């Protein structure tokens, strides 16, 4: 939950469990790093208004991934350049020479988006800034940029230290956005970079690629068997429309990422040939990247918004929130490696067993689970068995029939989130929508839903699939109601208040 100090004004759409700045615009998370017990969340930020522009690096810190304290702007824009997305590393070996001998420097690798009136008009190139005081203040490297291809769409560097058969060095994954390519480079010192290889995949021709991430995971918990994940955000061309985030699984030998057999994405009919899969099947999960500096663990956060309507969301002096942090693991499912996402949340302040809420079987069973008052955050967990023709789900919204409808439909092989009557939907023509995620049904169907002031995050079958959507309910309170066909057997229903 955002610290009270960073949220001087409250409104009914400001989240409690998700990070938002006190005011002004926010988009992509960047520079995520864990260092000396502190999580650093940097992000794209406009310090001067609630619309996109004046891109700078905002900054927030946390010791537990739940409570965030907003810090002063880390790297501000100037007349020469906007500070676009990138990453941060701790240069423990002082390879770049920025250290003063007292502490390992924190180095930000970011995209310089040069202004039309600058020395490199319209160019996007990769630059460095460094901090010797735990990320509080930053100095730009005098030799910037450190990697310039003369391109207007070369951006979003994600850098990590690689050690393997090919050697030990820094690796940068960045995109030629309009060409839909991830370019890999290596460096011994973060300053001089050498091209390694690139990766491309199918997608709509009008789409651009952004915010790549490349990391290794144990497969099925076995450190001797690993898989590499390549994350790419795409806009437009997301699975639910507008922007979205894809992933590919394979191997990386220090030079080239090679995609391996991955279960098809169950893409919609308009994109039947897409390889890989979707990190999230909702409309509002974009630019997800992972924290560096976390040994034996991979944690990601994404921007909860969609470029189709991000500038129009009805949130007043602030705009946009980050997703819940999610721990990422890899598991073999039906013979193919898949990514599993597990939310990282604080302990419940109150938990209620609501398994008997629907009472005796009958046509159109419905039962109230909770009323989410201002400032409350709920987690609803449902485990059930349902025949092929049976459906169940949640209504989350205002009184009566109004609200977002989350429906588990084994016959259709999907879970649907319908937000067309979820409250305020008329601020943009693309906002009313129905999202669909594939349901890989088993004997038991499990849902975990996080309900905050303006968002729903749905984790399906233990995080095998997720749906993230913004919602803006009417009225001061939000009702949570469970519904089920008579044939559905509810094994467990739990409602927890998280804050």
């Amino acid at each position: 939950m955002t610290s009270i100090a960073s949220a001087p004004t409250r409104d009914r759409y400001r989240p409690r469990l998700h990070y938002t700045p006190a005011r002004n615009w926010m988009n992509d998370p960047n520079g995520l790093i864990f260092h000396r017990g502190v999580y650093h969340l940097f992000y794209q930020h406009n310090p001067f208004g609630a619309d996109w522009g004046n891109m700078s690096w905002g900054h927030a810190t946390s010791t537990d991934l739940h409570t965030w304290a907003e810090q002063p702007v880390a790297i501000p824009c100037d007349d020469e350049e906007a500070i676009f997305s990138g990453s941060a590393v701790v240069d423990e070996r002082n390879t770049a020479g920025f250290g003063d001998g007292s502490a390992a420097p924190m180095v930000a690798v970011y995209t310089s988006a040069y202004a039309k009136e600058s020395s490199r008009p319209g160019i996007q190139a990769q630059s460095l800034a460094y901090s010797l005081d735990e990320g509080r203040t930053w100095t730009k490297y005098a030799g910037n940029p450190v990697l310039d291809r003369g391109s207007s769409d070369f951006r979003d560097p994600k850098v990590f230290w690689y050690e393997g058969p090919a050697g030990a060095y820094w690796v940068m994954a960045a995109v030629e956005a309009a060409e839909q390519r991830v370019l890999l480079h290596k460096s011994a010192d973060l300053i001089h970079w050498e091209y390694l290889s690139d990766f491309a995949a199918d997608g709509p021709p009008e789409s651009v690629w952004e915010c790549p991430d490349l990391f290794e995971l144990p497969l099925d918990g076995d450190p001797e068997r690993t898989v590499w994940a390549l994350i790419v955000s795409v806009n437009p061309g997301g699975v639910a429309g507008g922007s979205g985030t894809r992933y590919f699984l394979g191997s990386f030998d220090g030079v080239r990422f090679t995609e391996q057999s991955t279960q098809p994405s169950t893409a919609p009919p308009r994109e039947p040939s897409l390889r890989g899969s979707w990190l999230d099947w909702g409309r509002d999960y974009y630019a997800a990247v992972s924290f560096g500096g976390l040994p034996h663990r991979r944690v990601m956060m994404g921007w909860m918004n969609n470029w189709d309507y991000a500038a129009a969301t009805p949130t007043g002096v602030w705009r946009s929130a980050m997703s819940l942090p999610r721990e990422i693991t890899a598991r073999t499912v039906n013979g193919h490696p898949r990514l599993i996402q597990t939310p990282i949340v604080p302990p419940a302040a109150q938990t209620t067993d609501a398994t008997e809420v629907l009472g005796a079987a009958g046509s159109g069973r419905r039962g109230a689970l909770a009323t989410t008052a201002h400032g409350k955050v709920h987690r609803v967990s449902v485990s059930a068995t349902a025949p092929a023709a049976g459906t169940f789900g949640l209504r989350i919204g205002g009184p009566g029939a109004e609200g977002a409808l989350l429906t588990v439909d084994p016959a259709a092989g999907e879970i649907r989130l319908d937000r067309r009557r979820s409250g305020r939907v008329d601020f943009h023509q693309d906002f009313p929508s129905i999202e669909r995620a594939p349901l890989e049904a088993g004997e038991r169907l499990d849902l975990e839903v996080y309900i905050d002031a303006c968002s729903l995050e749905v984790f399906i079958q233990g995080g095998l699939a997720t749906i993230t959507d913004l919602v803006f309910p009417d009225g001061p309170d939000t009702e949570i109601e469970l519904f089920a066909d008579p044939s559905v057997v509810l094994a467990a229903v739990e409602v927890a208040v998280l804050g």
Side-chain angles (χ1 to χ4, degrees):
M1 58 196 79
T2 304
S3 69
I4 297 301
S6 71
T9 60
R10 302 298 304 178
D11 61 73
R12 74 162 321 236
Y13 295 138
R14 186 183 288 276
R16 299 290 295 204
L17 196 58
H18 298 75
Y19 176 74
T20 62
R23 53 181 53 84
N24 298 334
W25 172 275
M26 175 179 71
N27 59 286
D28 306 354
N30 33 235
L32 305 189
I33 190 78
F34 178 74
H35 183 52
R36 294 187 174 180
V38 177
Y39 295 90
H40 294 265
L41 164 64
F42 300 95
Y43 51 88
Q44 292 288 276
H45 182 52
N46 181 356
F48 308 113
D51 298 314
W52 187 93
N54 307 302
M55 283 296 97
S56 305
W57 273 27
H59 185 200
T61 55
S62 175
T63 57
D64 58 8
L65 288 172
H66 311 317
T67 303
W68 293 92
E70 188 172 356
Q71 305 295 337
V73 171
I75 311 176
C77 63
D78 56 28
D79 292 340
E80 177 79 1
E81 63 178 5
I83 312 300
F84 276 16
S85 294
S87 53
V89 297
V90 176
D91 190 4
E92 299 283 2
R93 301 165 187 81
N94 198 25
T95 62
F98 297 145
D100 60 4
S102 62
M106 189 180 293
V107 181
V109 189
Y110 67 89
T111 296
S112 293
Y114 289 99
K116 292 181 180 179
E117 299 78 16
S118 72
S119 59
R120 288 178 168 83
I123 293 297
Q124 294 183 0
Q126 313 323 315
S127 294
L128 306 179
Y130 61 92
S131 173
L132 301 179
D133 58 5
E134 309 285 323
R136 287 186 287 274
T137 62
W138 293 82
T139 302
K140 290 182 180 179
Y141 172 53
N144 282 338
V146 296
L147 182 55
D148 183 1
R149 291 171 46 85
S151 168
S152 61
D153 286 302
F154 178 46
R155 58 180 177 265
D156 305 344
K158 181 63 187 289
V159 172
F160 64 95
W161 182 258
Y162 169 82
E163 292 186 7
Y169 42 79
W170 298 105
V171 172
M172 175 196 294
V175 292
E176 276 289 356
E179 298 175 6
Q180 302 182 14
R181 289 192 297 143
V182 175
L183 276 62
L184 301 178
H185 291 77
K186 74 173 184 177
S187 174
D189 59 8
L190 292 170
I191 296 171
H192 303 92
W193 293 91
E194 174 187 341
Y195 171 78
L196 291 173
S197 62
D198 58 53
F199 174 82
D202 45 7
E206 71 276 12
S207 182
V208 300
W209 282 17
E210 296 186 308
C211 302
D213 198 356
L214 179 63
F215 51 83
E216 187 178 22
L217 292 170
L219 183 59
D220 299 320
D222 183 354
E224 301 299 318
R225 298 172 58 239
T226 65
V227 64
W228 284 79
L230 176 62
I231 311 297
V232 179
S233 290
V234 298
N235 176 54
V239 67
S243 44
T245 307
R246 297 172 67 179
Y247 75 82
F248 305 89
L249 298 180
S251 61
F252 177 61
D253 62 4
V255 176
R256 183 177 301 277
F257 173 79
T258 302
E259 185 186 5
Q260 297 175 339
S261 176
T262 304
Q263 187 167 356
S265 65
T266 318
R270 62 187 175 86
E271 298 170 341
S273 63
L274 280 182
R275 305 196 312 271
S277 192
W278 294 96
L279 197 59
D280 193 280
W281 298 80
R283 293 271 289 180
D284 298 307
Y285 191 76
Y286 191 71
V289 289
S290 63
F291 281 87
L294 279 175
H296 315 301
R297 194 182 190 196
R298 185 63 55 172
V299 175
M300 301 189 77
M301 293 179 75
W303 176 49
M304 285 203 307
N305 219 321
N306 190 301
W307 281 117
D308 277 357
Y309 44 74
T313 52
T315 52
V317 299
W318 61 276
R319 186 161 280 134
S320 294
M322 292 300 174
S323 74
L324 293 174
R326 303 176 182 186
E327 183 161 2
I328 309 297
T329 56
R331 191 175 77 207
T332 302
V333 179
N334 297 326
H336 299 274
R338 300 281 295 277
L339 292 187
I340 307 298
Q341 301 178 73
T342 304
I344 300 172
V345 295
Q350 174 185 338
T351 302
T352 301
D353 183 349
T355 306
E356 301 301 322
V357 69
L358 295 184
S363 177
R365 292 186 293 163
R366 308 188 79 88
L369 294 180
T371 298
T372 304
H374 179 72
K376 295 293 186 181
V377 182
H378 282 80
R379 179 188 67 224
V380 180
S381 303
V382 182
S383 293
T385 56
T391 64
F392 68 94
L394 298 171
R395 183 187 67 82
I396 304 161
E402 295 293 326
L405 291 177
L406 179 65
T407 303
V408 181
D409 189 343
E414 66 182 20
I415 292 182
R416 296 184 296 275
L417 179 53
D418 183 346
R419 65 177 181 183
R420 292 175 299 176
R421 301 179 66 188
S422 58
R424 293 196 62 181
V425 299
D426 59 353
F427 56 86
H428 194 280
Q429 63 182 11
D430 292 329
F431 188 80
S433 61
I434 304 175
E435 277 55 271
R436 292 176 167 85
L439 175 63
E440 300 179 42
E443 292 185 3
R444 187 154 157 162
L445 304 171
D446 295 312
L447 283 184
E448 193 170 345
V449 184
Y450 291 84
I451 304 165
D452 207 342
C454 67
S455 65
L456 303 175
E457 287 184 78
V458 184
F459 294 81
I460 303 158
Q461 298 296 69
L464 185 58
T466 65
I467 299 175
T468 302
D469 263 11
L470 295 176
V471 291
F472 299 98
D474 290 322
D477 300 326
T478 299
E479 296 179 350
I480 306 170
E481 184 182 55
L482 178 67
F483 61 86
D485 288 341
S487 57
V488 174
V489 177
L490 296 172
V493 180
E494 183 180 275
V495 181
V497 178
L498 301 183

